[in-house]
Amino acid sequence: MCDFSDPKSVINGANKNNLIKPGKRPLSSKSPTIIVDKQSNQVKMVVGGAGGTNITTSTAQVILNYLFFDYNLHKAVEEPRVQVPINVTNVEEVFDEEVAKRLRLKNHTIDNKTEETSIQVVVRQKNEICAASDYRNYGYPAGY
């Protein structure tokens, strides 16, 4: 029921198309992502998660950490995350305090009210398949 927008509170960023009505299903924040290597045309990364309205930003942060910041897979998933629901920048308690301080200088209101979002990711590293599961949900990769 949390995935519906509540007209009385704007915790989820109220969306009139997502109000609770009999027989209605909530809009989804699912963002399963498959990234394909341009040269080889092989799947390079598959990532997705659970955790309500922050799935999209958490998924994007893991992709950026791994593909653009060149973090190893475990670190890409475990890094502290930022969520910006409505005019507040929520950071996890272990978030870099120096970065938070600089955000405050740019008039960000910083808070630690992050919602738990759990990401699962599988990547191809050369000829190996590697996986990581988010500690935030006590996950662990399993496979053959």
Side-chain angles (χ1 to χ4, degrees):
M1 295 299 291
C2 272
D3 287 340
F4 282 109
S5 296
D6 180 353
K8 295 179 192 121
S9 79
V10 287
I11 292 171
N12 286 334
N15 177 337
K16 66 180 181 179
N17 296 319
N18 200 33
L19 295 175
I20 298 171
K21 293 180 185 172
K24 182 152 191 230
R25 298 176 85 182
L27 298 175
S28 175
S29 298
K30 290 180 190 175
S31 57
T33 305
I34 300 171
I35 298 172
V36 177
D37 184 275
K38 263 184 169 176
Q39 275 82 33
S40 69
N41 220 18
Q42 288 191 320
V43 173
K44 184 174 191 166
M45 181 181 217
V46 178
V47 60
T53 57
N54 296 304
I55 296 170
T56 52
T57 55
S58 294
T59 300
Q61 287 174 65
V62 170
I63 292 168
L64 288 170
N65 288 343
Y66 183 75
L67 294 179
F68 293 93
F69 300 138
D70 206 27
Y71 291 0
N72 69 48
L73 190 57
H74 180 74
K75 182 177 178 174
V77 172
E78 304 296 320
E79 276 293 285
R81 301 204 186 109
V82 177
Q83 302 167 353
V84 186
I86 301 171
N87 299 327
V88 175
T89 302
N90 285 316
V91 297
E92 294 179 339
E93 289 184 20
V94 294
F95 190 76
D96 186 329
E97 187 53 44
E98 184 61 31
V99 174
K101 193 184 307 181
R102 290 179 183 262
L103 288 169
R104 282 188 195 93
L105 290 172
K106 294 185 176 283
N107 297 320
H108 283 255
T109 301
I110 304 294
D111 207 338
N112 293 111
K113 295 179 182 168
T114 56
E115 295 178 22
E116 188 172 290
T117 303
S118 178
I119 299 297
Q120 314 302 318
V121 60
V122 177
V123 298
R124 181 186 310 269
Q125 293 177 344
K126 297 183 182 162
N127 290 327
E128 293 183 342
I129 302 295
C130 302
S133 293
D134 210 321
Y135 77 93
R136 291 165 183 88
N137 195 29
Y138 307 103
Y140 61 91
Y144 335 37

